């Protein structure tokens, strides 16, 4: 009898351990994936006053016969926080999914925000080649300051607006010389048309998470998601796309 009780007890302990592991593992995954729900007090503390992305196609001139097309995305993300100061701010878990091109998270640099004519890469290089378009990873952690003077900084309270970029790299190519020889003129507004790209192949899903830690150690997370629509890129010079919040 004692033997059966012992076996039953061990079995119950094992089941409890397995269930506990599954629960904890789910919690860790939820936090990592940015689906953690904020406490109502923290959720109400943060107001998102702007969340959208502007876009346009730009070209790197690799050679006379090789003009590479890319999509530049500029996020406009503004958080309003009045009652607390922050100690940490980061963008993480960046993901890009599309049929063509490579989605890259472009990190801000220590370049001054007063810089005139900066590039999409937060540099002052006069021209950009494909080899220059690189990412330093899928996470960005910002310096927290009372007054923002550099692109890699955010304010510690009130209006928090992180600088960063997204580039969908190398979506197609155009032979500039061939078209110029053929038509005797090259229209810079027709790069997508010249490339022959099917517009719906440019549809790209973009996702990233924001993490804020306040001075009292309370935390706020939010996931943002949008789909860049190729049809709009073909119809408008610089279409805007709304960043939807997921959690």
């Amino acid at each position: 009898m004692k033997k059966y009780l012992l076996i039953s007890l061990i079995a119950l302990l094992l089941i409890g351990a397995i269930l506990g592991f599954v629960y904890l593992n789910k919690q860790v995954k939820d936090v990592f994936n940015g689906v953690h729900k904020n406490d109502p007090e923290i959720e109400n503390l943060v107001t998102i006053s702007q969340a959208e992305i502007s876009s346009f196609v730009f070209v790197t001139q690799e050679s006379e016969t090789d003009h590479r097309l890319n999509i530049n995305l500029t996020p406009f993300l503004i958080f309003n926080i009045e009652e607390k100061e922050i100690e940490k701010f980061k963008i993480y878990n960046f993901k890009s999914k599309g049929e063509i091109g490579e989605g890259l998270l472009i990190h801000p640099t220590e370049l001054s925000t007063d810089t005139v004519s900066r590039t999409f890469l937060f540099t002052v290089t006069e021209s950009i080649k494909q080899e220059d378009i690189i990412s330093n990873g899928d996470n960005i952690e910002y310096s927290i300051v009372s007054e923002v003077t550099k692109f890699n900084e955010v304010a510690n309270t009130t209006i928090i607006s992180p600088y960063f970029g997204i580039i969908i790299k190398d979506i197609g190519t155009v032979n500039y010389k061939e078209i110029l020889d053929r038509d005797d003129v090259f229209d810079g507004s027709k790069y997508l048309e010249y490339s022959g790209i099917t517009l719906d192949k440019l549809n790209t899903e973009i996702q990233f998470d924001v993490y804020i830690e306040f001075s009292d150690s309370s935390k706020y997370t939010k996931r943002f998601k949008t789909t860049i629509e190729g049809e709009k890129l073909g119809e408008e010079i610089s279409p805007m796309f709304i960043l939807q919040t997921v959690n």
Side-chain angles (χ1 to χ4, degrees):
M1 187 70 177
K2 290 183 178 179
K3 180 180 178 180
Y4 291 120
L5 286 173
L6 182 60
I7 293 172
S8 299
L9 182 60
I10 292 171
L12 287 171
L13 288 172
L14 284 172
I15 292 170
I18 291 168
L19 290 174
F21 174 79
V22 170
Y23 174 78
L24 290 173
N25 192 45
K26 182 181 184 300
Q27 296 301 308
V28 169
K29 285 183 177 179
D30 284 350
V31 171
F32 179 78
N33 290 330
V35 297
H36 171 72
K37 294 290 184 182
N38 298 310
D39 291 336
E41 180 184 352
I42 298 299
E43 183 71 29
N44 294 332
L45 178 69
V46 180
T47 302
I48 303 169
S49 58
Q50 187 175 12
E52 53 190 351
I53 286 181
S54 70
S55 62
F56 62 86
V57 175
F58 76 96
V59 175
T60 61
Q61 299 181 11
E62 306 299 307
S63 70
E64 193 176 20
T65 59
D66 184 13
H67 286 198
R68 300 284 183 88
L69 280 64
N70 314 269
I71 303 173
N72 181 69
L73 304 174
T74 302
F76 295 98
L77 195 58
I78 299 177
F79 300 89
N80 296 90
I81 304 171
E82 299 289 347
E83 299 177 15
K84 290 188 179 184
E85 290 190 358
I86 70 170
E87 285 195 350
K88 289 183 181 180
F89 186 98
K90 68 179 180 180
I91 291 168
Y92 69 106
N93 198 30
F94 170 79
K95 294 179 181 178
S96 172
K97 182 181 179 182
E99 190 170 343
I100 57 177
E102 179 186 9
L104 299 175
L105 180 65
I106 305 301
H107 290 222
T109 65
E110 292 189 346
L111 195 67
S112 170
T113 54
D114 292 332
T115 302
V116 178
S117 301
R118 71 167 176 87
T119 70
F120 311 133
L121 307 177
F122 299 96
T123 65
V124 289
T125 306
E126 291 184 3
S127 61
I128 297 175
K129 300 288 188 182
Q130 286 292 297
E131 64 185 16
D132 301 317
I133 305 174
I134 58 175
S135 175
N136 291 321
D138 295 337
N139 308 306
I140 303 172
E141 186 157 353
Y142 291 81
S143 298
I144 310 301
V145 295
S146 57
E147 183 179 353
V148 173
T149 61
K150 299 176 182 178
F151 286 115
N152 63 348
E153 298 174 337
V154 294
N156 61 354
T157 191
T158 311
I159 299 176
I160 298 170
S161 182
Y163 290 98
F164 64 106
I166 299 168
I167 290 178
I168 304 174
K169 179 181 177 180
D170 199 6
I171 60 171
T173 185
V174 169
N175 188 324
Y176 172 84
K177 184 178 185 304
E178 181 180 76
I179 292 171
L180 186 61
D181 290 344
R182 183 192 69 195
D183 299 344
D184 294 325
V185 65
F186 188 95
D187 187 344
S189 67
K190 293 184 177 180
Y191 265 106
L192 278 178
E193 181 182 328
Y194 290 143
S195 72
I197 298 171
T198 303
L199 292 178
D200 61 10
K201 289 188 176 182
L202 296 177
N203 293 352
T204 305
E205 295 178 7
I206 300 292
Q207 174 188 298
F208 59 87
D209 298 335
V210 166
Y211 171 87
I212 300 173
E213 185 173 327
F214 297 96
S215 55
D216 62 1
S217 298
S218 56
K219 300 171 179 64
Y220 171 94
T221 61
K222 188 66 65 176
R223 171 166 292 177
F224 295 88
K225 199 171 187 178
T226 193
T227 299
I228 306 303
E229 299 173 23
E231 196 67 35
K232 283 191 176 182
L233 286 164
E235 294 172 350
E236 304 174 35
I237 294 175
S238 184
M240 298 288 288
F241 299 96
I242 301 299
L243 284 165
Q244 304 288 344
T245 56
V246 177
N247 60 331

